[in-house]
Amino acid sequence: MITKYNICNKVLGLAVATLTFVACTDAWDDHYEGSATGVNSGTIWQAIENNSDLSNFKRVAVACGYDKALKSSQVFTVFAPTNASLTDAQTESLIARYQTEKLQGIEDKDNSVVVEFLQNHIALYNHSVSSTSKDTITMMNGKYNVLTGSGIANANFIQNGEELNKLYSNGLLFTLDQSVKFVPNVFEYLRTEGEGLDSIRNFLYSGDPLYSDSKWQLYYKKFMASKSVEGGIDSLGRTVYLDSISEQTSKLFSTIGLLNKEDSTYWMVAPTNNIWKNLVEEYSKHFVYDKTVDKILSVGNIDSLNYVNTRMAIVEGTVFSRTINKAVFDGASAATDSLMSTSAVPSYELRRYFWGNDTLHYYQYFDPRGANGVLSGTTEVDCSNGKLMKASQWNFNPLETFKRTIVIEAEGRNAIKEVSKYQVNEETKDSMPTISAIPKTVPSAYSDNTPNPYYNKVSDNKYIEFEPQEGINHTVVFNITDVLSNVPYDIYLVTVPAQAETKNVSPYQRRPTKVSAYIKYKDEEGDIIGRGNGKALASKLETPTESVGYLKLAEKYVFPTSNFGLVEDNPRITLEVSTDVKSRETRQDTGTHSAVMRIDCVILKPHVD
């Protein structure tokens, strides 16, 4: 912060004498608090009124009601362009735009003339200059501008010498040779100047046009209780506000980044209209929901769910923050290495939580500036808080964003819908009571301290074991979530051998088991596909006895409907896995198999040819 000593010298140009400094400091303290008469009499507004070269700036300020603020006791620094640069035609245009937006119900704090013109020329508090000044100040609209001894941002001061830093009772007034250029941030650019970006703008700013409920609007007004003035409690015990303050915000900011904040630095890759149209057509088929989903939605319908999720599949992973990509943003050689978006999950623990496995990486891209990199072929536009990169070609691979491998950990919360056992009696299966699964852990070493070769070969080194009585099979029903429609999946069951837990296992415990699998889901009409156990996927697959087994249950399996993003107590897609052995096969003396089933996880992996 600049000391009072320096500010005092800048304002009055006085020599450093003890008596003079003390006097100036007292006057400055009074002026900073807005109570001194200052070097010049009157307010900033009176100075503007008395300067015929500022008549056009005055007209805009009056039209927008800012004359009241500039004649108040609040302290401002005003940078006013003269009539030589702010012409009569420009003035009329600004006033007309302000009035049009006013009639449209746009509040003054969101009015483009107020935000982009008036507040772009006014800063709170005093900001004096000297010949050596080079400070960054914050304008009323939140923009940061560089203030020097000769001007601010792109504009130069008309005053010089003693004409600079004249004090008025409520601040300072500088005159400029041109208007201060308004530089939009990334989010504002999409709204005001994004030529060829109408499609993404309409999504980010308008939300869902297919459903009128305000909860489905991505860009909305949020009531700010902390900034509102309370006026007591009503008869129902609710707070009444004398002055309610709300701010425009977006539901996406918490997901992809605060693109409207001036104190952050972002890059965003935005597809042009043609690219957007093609992506919507391609991605929408992956978010087809069956008709019964409408019944569980508190807001919207399956059309609006398809609309939002399709477009989110495009937008997520396209925003990058300098905080986690400093080397790339600064142009270092790391720019050819990797780039992590705001949607990426850097933590191993969180990757296990979100993606089911800490080895899975999404929304982060290698060689971003390479021939097929996500930044290749983009046109960069400088914004006040970073860059907007227009993309006329799309190098984001869906397999690195929303077409993710689904991992259902057997020990995971809500992974198992049901566990049951049934007696094997050759050709008949008589149901028996439901039993619990037994969680197991793979130790890094056995009890004799020898290394465990299965350590880190089982996901998160945890699995579930179902140990029955002799001759009893087990059935496990898994809840399968976040499935995309019309995506070919390879489906795997991952099994674990007995010696993953302990070194000392008997020959009987080492035996394999046989498993069969059935899938159940709904078609677009909501009819269940796979009655009874479900639709058969695989039968009598034998589990490996000496290694972790990856049993392929299906290849290129396509679901006609999606359950992506649905929160359900009973997910509409389930996978039933059963041991499938006969009682004579499980006899300890003469048998060849076991009915013990040890499951690590279920994997649905998008097929790649």
Side-chain angles (χ1 to χ4, degrees):
M1 178 177 290
I2 299 174
T3 63
K4 290 181 180 179
Y5 171 79
N6 288 333
I7 293 175
C8 182
N9 281 320
K10 291 178 182 179
V11 173
L12 300 180
L14 298 177
V16 185
T18 302
L19 182 60
T20 307
F21 175 72
V22 172
C24 178
T25 300
D26 292 339
W28 180 261
D29 282 341
D30 289 342
H31 177 72
Y32 186 80
E33 294 166 1
S35 60
T37 58
V39 175
N40 295 278
S41 62
T43 63
I44 294 174
W45 183 249
Q46 288 173 318
I48 292 173
E49 283 189 311
N50 293 332
N51 189 335
S52 60
D53 285 338
L54 300 180
S55 61
N56 285 338
F57 184 83
K58 169 190 167 185
R59 289 171 59 197
V60 177
V62 170
C64 299
Y66 263 63
D67 55 322
K68 300 178 182 65
L70 297 180
K71 66 177 66 169
S72 70
S73 60
Q74 174 68 57
V75 178
F76 299 98
T77 299
V78 177
F79 304 91
T82 64
N83 296 347
S85 61
L86 181 59
T87 66
D88 290 345
Q90 291 172 329
T91 301
E92 294 293 341
S93 177
L94 287 169
I95 294 173
R97 176 149 58 101
Y98 170 81
Q99 293 172 341
T100 298
E101 293 185 15
K102 191 81 171 174
L103 291 173
Q104 292 172 343
I106 298 175
E107 298 179 22
D108 278 2
K109 62 185 179 64
D110 301 314
N111 191 290
S112 65
V113 176
V114 172
V115 174
E116 297 175 15
F117 180 76
L118 278 178
Q119 292 185 348
N120 206 46
H121 289 84
I122 305 173
L124 293 175
Y125 314 120
N126 287 294
H127 298 281
S128 57
V129 299
S130 72
S131 59
T132 59
S133 290
K134 189 174 183 180
D135 303 311
T136 298
I137 66 171
T138 306
M139 312 307 290
M140 284 189 69
N141 58 7
K143 300 293 179 183
Y144 296 106
N145 280 323
V146 175
L147 178 65
T148 67
S150 60
I152 179 171
N154 60 292
N156 298 312
F157 296 141
I158 291 178
Q159 309 111 307
N160 54 59
E162 295 183 359
E163 293 296 314
L164 283 173
N165 299 319
K166 283 190 174 181
L167 294 176
Y168 295 92
S169 65
N170 64 343
L172 295 165
L173 172 65
F174 294 90
T175 54
L176 305 177
D177 65 349
Q178 59 182 303
S179 296
V180 177
K181 182 180 179 181
F182 175 82
V183 181
N185 57 45
V186 172
F187 196 63
E188 290 168 335
Y189 181 87
L190 287 169
R191 174 172 60 89
T192 59
E193 301 182 42
E195 183 180 355
L197 302 174
D198 309 66
S199 298
I200 187 172
R201 178 190 65 207
N202 291 341
F203 174 62
L204 297 181
Y205 274 92
S206 301
D208 182 3
L210 301 181
Y211 197 80
S212 60
D213 193 301
S214 62
K215 293 180 182 178
W216 281 88
Q217 299 298 318
L218 295 178
Y219 190 60
Y220 67 103
K221 286 184 179 180
K222 181 180 180 181
F223 172 65
M224 308 296 291
S226 61
K227 297 182 180 181
S228 301
V229 180
E230 294 185 9
I233 306 295
D234 66 11
S235 59
L236 298 177
R238 299 172 301 188
T239 302
V240 177
Y241 293 91
L242 299 176
D243 185 17
S244 298
I245 303 299
S246 61
E247 292 183 356
Q248 286 288 153
T249 188
S250 172
K251 294 178 182 178
L252 289 184
F253 289 158
S254 61
T255 302
I256 63 175
L258 302 174
L259 298 177
N260 64 329
K261 295 300 182 183
E262 299 295 333
D263 56 357
S264 302
T265 304
Y266 292 102
W267 289 355
M268 181 179 187
V269 180
T272 55
N273 293 333
N274 286 336
I275 297 296
W276 179 274
K277 179 182 177 181
N278 293 336
L279 291 173
V280 166
E281 184 177 348
E282 177 186 349
Y283 291 179
S284 62
K285 64 184 179 184
H286 301 313
F287 300 97
V288 177
Y289 296 87
D290 74 77
K291 291 181 178 179
T292 64
V293 171
D294 278 341
K295 298 177 182 178
I296 68 170
L297 296 177
S298 58
V299 177
N301 52 41
I302 58 175
D303 289 332
S304 55
L305 200 58
N306 174 278
Y307 176 93
V308 172
N309 284 336
T310 295
R311 287 152 182 80
M312 284 300 297
I314 301 173
V315 172
E316 275 200 282
T318 63
V319 177
F320 308 92
S321 169
R322 187 178 189 276
T323 303
I324 54 178
N325 297 284
K326 187 176 185 299
V328 181
F329 276 50
D330 291 346
S333 58
T336 61
D337 184 13
S338 65
L339 192 61
M340 184 176 291
S341 77
T342 54
S343 300
V345 180
S347 162
Y348 285 92
E349 184 176 342
L350 288 177
R351 283 208 293 268
R352 284 195 296 270
Y353 177 79
F354 285 111
W355 314 135
N357 193 298
D358 58 25
T359 63
L360 297 175
H361 299 263
Y362 297 103
Y363 303 115
Q364 53 190 99
Y365 317 99
F366 294 96
D367 195 13
R369 295 192 185 278
N372 297 311
V374 294
L375 302 182
S376 177
T378 60
T379 302
E380 298 182 4
V381 178
D382 289 329
C383 299
S384 62
N385 66 344
K387 293 182 179 181
L388 191 288
M389 299 179 169
K390 296 182 181 181
S392 55
Q393 65 184 55
W394 199 246
N395 293 333
F396 289 84
N397 186 343
L399 293 174
E400 295 179 339
T401 56
F402 74 97
K403 281 188 183 179
R404 301 188 286 267
T405 294
I406 301 168
V407 180
I408 307 296
E409 294 286 355
E411 73 278 5
R413 185 179 180 182
N414 300 324
I416 296 177
K417 179 179 182 178
E418 181 183 6
V419 179
S420 61
K421 60 182 179 179
Y422 53 92
Q423 181 73 40
V424 174
N425 184 17
E426 299 302 327
E427 301 303 326
T428 64
K429 298 179 182 180
D430 301 319
S431 295
M432 298 180 70
T434 298
I435 64 170
S436 299
I438 304 171
K440 296 286 186 176
T441 300
V442 181
S444 59
Y446 292 127
S447 58
D448 61 0
N449 291 324
T450 59
N452 185 345
Y454 299 99
Y455 185 70
N456 283 339
K457 292 185 179 179
V458 175
S459 178
D460 204 23
N461 290 306
K462 297 176 182 178
Y463 63 98
I464 297 293
E465 180 178 278
F466 309 93
E467 185 173 3
Q469 301 170 10
E470 183 178 346
I472 297 178
N473 279 319
H474 287 255
T475 296
V476 186
V477 180
F478 288 95
N479 291 319
I480 309 299
T481 56
D482 288 330
V483 171
L484 298 173
S485 54
N486 300 302
V487 170
Y489 286 103
D490 295 337
I491 305 176
Y492 296 88
L493 177 71
V494 182
T495 62
V496 182
Q499 54 270 37
E501 180 190 23
T502 178
K503 190 176 186 178
N504 300 315
V505 295
S506 67
Y508 175 77
Q509 291 172 316
R510 284 179 180 265
R511 287 183 183 178
T513 190
K514 298 175 186 177
V515 297
S516 296
Y518 306 86
I519 196 80
K520 190 179 289 186
Y521 51 90
K522 292 184 178 182
D523 62 17
E524 289 189 55
E525 295 300 318
D527 295 328
I528 296 175
I529 303 298
R531 299 286 180 179
N533 292 343
K535 189 174 181 179
L537 289 182
S539 177
K540 297 184 180 297
L541 297 179
E542 190 168 280
T543 59
T545 60
E546 303 295 328
S547 63
V548 174
Y550 286 80
L551 306 183
K552 182 178 283 189
L553 305 181
E555 185 175 16
K556 298 183 181 180
Y557 198 87
V558 177
F559 296 88
T561 58
S562 170
N563 66 351
F564 181 87
L566 298 182
V567 179
E568 302 179 276
D569 293 332
N570 296 297
R572 57 198 57 231
I573 301 178
T574 58
L575 175 72
E576 179 178 306
V577 179
S578 304
T579 52
D580 196 351
V581 291
K582 298 184 183 299
S583 57
R584 55 184 168 80
E585 293 179 301
T586 64
R587 292 171 185 162
Q588 292 206 22
D589 52 353
T590 61
T592 55
H593 289 75
S594 166
V596 176
M597 183 161 53
R598 304 177 186 89
I599 299 178
D600 176 10
C601 60
V602 173
I603 298 175
L604 284 79
K605 184 176 182 179
H607 183 86
V608 178
D609 291 320

